[in-house]
Structure formats: C-alpha cells, structure tokens
C-alpha cells in the first residue's frame, strides 16, 4: 500500500485529477475542500479516500483536518497544497482591501497553515520525513494584467517553497513547486475563450489536458526523499508565457 497523501482543493479541477492519480497508485488520500459533496464525487468508489470538508484559511479547520488524517492513518507522507482562488481582477486602486485579504488568506495563509501542520507531523513521525508539493502558477513568475492579488500570493508561494525546502532538510522533508499554465479545468475555461493580454487585447489562449498535471505531481510524489523536483513548469506549448508582455 502507498503512503498517506493530503490534497487541498480536491473537489474539482487539478485537485480532483491528482487525487485520483494518487489513489490509482495505492496512496491513502485525504481529500480536503470546502464542499463535501464535491469531495465525495472525487472519492467515489475509492475506499482509501478520506473526505474532510475544511476551509484552508481557518487555522482550527486545518488542524482538525490533519488530526483526522493522523487518527485514521497515523502519518502524512505527501501534502499537495492546491487550494486557491484567482481573487479580484482590476488595477490595484480598484481592488477592494477585503478581496485582497481573502485572496491572501486562501492562497498564501492557507498553504502555510497546511504546510505547518504537515511539517510538524513529518518531523516527528517514524519513519521520519515526507514531501510537500505547492501548486504555484505561471503567475509565480510573470503576472497577467489586473492580477495584483493573485500574482502577489503566487510569488509568495515560491518563497514559502524555498523556505520549507531549506528548513526541511534536517528532518528529511522535501518541498517542491509545480507551476501550471493553462491546464484545462473549470477555473480556466474563460482563458480558452479570451484572456486579457499585456497590450490590452483579449485573445483566446491554448490549454492542455489537466491529466498531464496529475502525471507530473504523481512523478514528484513518487521520488525517494533523497531526490526532489524543486520547481517544475508545465504549460500549454503555445501559451503566451515566454515573451509575455
């Protein structure tokens, strides 16, 4: 039987595909997200899945999630920090402070809270160690117009990844990041119809099958703790990323 994996944002899109890939590989998988019905749909027919509704921005709910995982399986081997929101769009002066704070709460604080709990468990479990994989974004490298909140949080995820990677060395905790550009999911459906470019035009952008993201995360998760994919970028080949702007 595989290790124990915790996935956030597991009710749809990338999270759902990664969860199913890991379940196929024999992992015992805890599915976290805000909608229990969507999580149950992801887990359908999988006896080694634990459905646990939780808001990653709430420290108490995150603690309860990891308590449920260790109560059932006793350890955590992989955390995929995937939950996120695009947040508000517009020029910086048009973004409500409350919307900024909510984006930071989900995309950054939520990732930290989950990593914090996983790190604590991995540090003390026997055998020691584990792997944290953060879902960054192309916006961890280069912004889209009108995306200050989302882009700031995704740049911050890169800093979190590096810090976790460094601080985890002493405890056999590896941390890497996957940056995804235009995987075809419900969240990115609008991009295929038209996305605002740096010159102000709205143009449809190519997408790629989200299953390739699941395969990439599956590879990262399966590595021995003596090896790590620090950063991986997976995009639609013709996505306007290289040379954006």
């Amino acid at each position: 039987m595989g290790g124990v994996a915790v996935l956030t944002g597991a009710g749809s899109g990338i999270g759902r595909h990664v969860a199913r890939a890991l379940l196929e590989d024999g992992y015992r998988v805890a599915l976290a997200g805000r909608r229990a019905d969507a999580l149950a749909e992801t887990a359908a027919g999988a006896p080694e899945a634990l459905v646990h509704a939780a808001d990653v921005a709430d420290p108490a709910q995150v603690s309860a999630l990891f308590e449920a995982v260790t109560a059932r399986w006793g350890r955590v081997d992989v955390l995929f920090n995937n939950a996120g929101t695009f947040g508000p769009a517009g020029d910086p002066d048009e973004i409500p402070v409350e919307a900024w704070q909510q984006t930071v709460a989900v995309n950054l604080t939520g990732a930290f809270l989950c990593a914090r709990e996983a790190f604590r468990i991995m540090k003390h479990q026997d055998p020691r160690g584990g792997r944290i994989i953060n879902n960054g974004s192309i916006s961890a490298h280069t912004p889209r117009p009108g995306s200050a909140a989302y882009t700031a949080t995704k740049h911050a995820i890169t800093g979190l990844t590096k810090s976790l990677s460094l601080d985890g060395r002493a405890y056999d905790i590896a941390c890497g990041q996957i940056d995804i550009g235009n995987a075809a999911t419900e969240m990115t459906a609008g991009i295929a119809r038209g996305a605002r470019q740096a010159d102000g035009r709205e143009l449809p952008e190519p997408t790629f099958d989200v299953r390739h993201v699941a395969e990439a995360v599956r590879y990262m998760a399966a590595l021995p703790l003596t090896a790590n994919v620090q950063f991986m970028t997976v995009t639609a080949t013709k996505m306007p990323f290289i040379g954006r702007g």
Side-chain angles (χ1 to χ4, degrees):
M1 184 175 290
V4 175
V6 179
L7 276 71
T8 65
S12 64
I14 289 168
R16 173 170 288 177
H17 282 80
V18 171
R20 289 176 174 171
L22 294 182
L23 286 164
E24 288 174 4
D25 285 349
Y27 284 85
R28 292 156 285 174
V29 181
L31 309 173
R34 287 181 291 181
R35 296 191 298 122
D37 57 340
L39 297 173
E41 187 176 339
T42 298
E48 291 302 328
L50 170 65
V51 170
H52 190 102
D55 180 352
V56 297
D58 185 318
Q61 292 187 40
V62 171
S63 294
L65 164 64
F66 283 86
E67 287 171 5
V69 174
T70 54
R72 178 160 176 178
W73 291 311
R75 61 183 295 110
V76 174
D77 296 292
V78 176
L79 165 65
F80 182 38
N81 258 328
N82 172 66
T85 177
F86 281 141
D91 290 341
D93 60 308
E94 299 169 343
I95 294 175
V97 173
E98 295 80 5
W100 165 276
Q101 292 172 330
Q102 180 60 26
T103 307
V104 172
V106 174
N107 292 1
L108 178 57
T109 302
F112 167 74
L113 292 174
C114 291
R116 178 176 179 270
E117 293 292 330
F119 198 102
R120 176 181 56 79
I121 294 165
M122 293 171 177
K123 184 177 179 180
H124 297 291
Q125 65 192 4
D126 185 20
R128 188 178 69 175
R131 187 179 305 278
I132 298 169
I133 302 170
N134 291 327
N135 185 347
S137 170
I138 293 301
S139 290
H141 303 270
T142 305
R144 289 185 179 278
S147 66
Y150 182 76
T151 297
T153 60
K154 291 303 183 178
H155 273 64
I157 287 294
T158 300
L160 178 63
T161 297
K162 291 178 179 179
S163 287
L164 292 169
S165 187
L166 178 60
D167 294 341
R169 286 179 186 172
Y171 310 106
D172 301 313
I173 299 170
C175 182
Q177 179 171 317
I178 183 165
D179 296 321
I180 303 159
N182 290 7
T185 67
E186 299 93 329
M187 280 185 68
T188 59
I191 289 173
R193 294 190 297 268
R196 184 180 168 196
Q197 306 298 303
D199 61 5
R201 292 181 298 166
E202 285 210 7
L203 299 174
E205 293 188 6
T207 60
F208 70 98
D209 195 320
V210 69
R211 289 179 298 176
H212 300 309
V213 176
E215 290 299 321
V217 176
R218 171 187 262 166
Y219 168 73
M220 295 170 76
L223 286 171
L225 293 178
T226 52
N228 186 41
V229 174
Q230 190 66 69
F231 295 99
M232 177 187 289
T233 303
V234 184
T235 75
T237 303
K238 296 184 179 181
M239 176 188 179
F241 165 46
I242 302 298
R244 182 189 285 186

